[in-house]
Amino acid sequence: MSKLFHACSLLISLSLLNSVQAEILCTAIKPMQQKLCVIFSIMPDMATQQWFVESASGQSRSLPNMSAAMLQVSDIAIDEQGQWLAVLSVGEGHPILEVFTLKSILQNSGKAQWEINPYPGWLSLESWQAGILSLQTDRLLSGKVYDSSDWPEAETTQTYHLNPNTGKLSRK
């Protein structure tokens, strides 16, 4: 059995015995027949996350340089072609969306290509379709993606489409 399997088992056991919250999220890398996963745990005095790739045969490889903006990862999604990774992470109830090139993540050198911080609002991932990421928020986003807390609040939920090649947001 792999070391990551043992780490997962240990985290789950600790969460049952103590006040440790542990969670595992995985998403398929369809063209490669692999899965990208993250284990994150929240303990009273610290939080950790560990990313790894699991092959179809069950072998796993750690991604030591991958880290989301906030330690509690709430959603991950890879586009259909396996080029982009969207990561939604949360800190103290506030989400941040980061979009990475998957190739850079798999080569242990990934930094976010785009980031949306809707503070003090909320944001959720919807889906990837034809290389475009759909998301919903209570903010009025405009133009190109950048880290901002200046977006005004919308009266209703807004759906946006992010082109990760350009960073442009649209309402389509």
Side-chain angles (χ1 to χ4, degrees), residues 71-124:
L71 284 173
Q72 186 174 348
V73 179
S74 62
D75 201 359
I76 56 177
I78 297 174
D79 74 309
E80 309 90 346
Q81 290 78 34
Q83 295 179 327
W84 297 98
L85 167 65
V87 177
L88 188 64
S89 60
V90 180
E92 297 181 1
H94 300 290
I96 290 183
L97 171 66
E98 296 171 287
V99 179
F100 300 85
T101 59
L102 184 60
K103 182 178 180 180
S104 69
I105 297 302
L106 297 177
Q107 294 174 347
N108 289 322
S109 62
K111 291 187 179 184
Q113 185 82 20
W114 308 110
E115 181 177 292
I116 299 175
N117 179 355
Y119 181 83
W122 61 268
L123 184 137
S124 66

Side-chain angles (χ1 to χ4, degrees), residues 15 27 31 40 45-46 52-53 55 63 68-69 73 90 95 99 101 137 146 159 170:
S15 68
T27 188
F40 67 90
D45 296 331
M46 79 173 175
F52 62 96
V53 175
S55 69
L63 300 172
V73 179
V90 180
V99 179
T101 59
T137 184
Y146 55 94
T159 300
S170 64

Side-chain angles (χ1 to χ4, degrees), residues 1-2 5 32-35 53-61:
M1 289 188 207
S2 73
F5 176 80
M32 302 170 74
Q33 301 299 313
Q34 295 178 334
K35 290 191 298 188
V53 175
E54 186 176 288
S55 69
S57 67
Q59 296 293 319
S60 57
R61 175 176 63 91

Side-chain angles (χ1 to χ4, degrees), residues 4 7 9 11 27 38-39 44 49 64 68 72-73 76 84 93-94 101 107 110 117 119 126 133 140 161 163 167:
L4 284 171
S9 297
L11 280 173
T27 188
V38 60
I39 302 169
Q49 62 179 245
Q72 186 174 348
V73 179
I76 56 177
W84 297 98
H94 300 290
T101 59
Q107 294 174 347
N117 179 355
Y119 181 83
E126 294 304 306
L133 178 62
L140 293 172
H161 306 281
N163 181 333

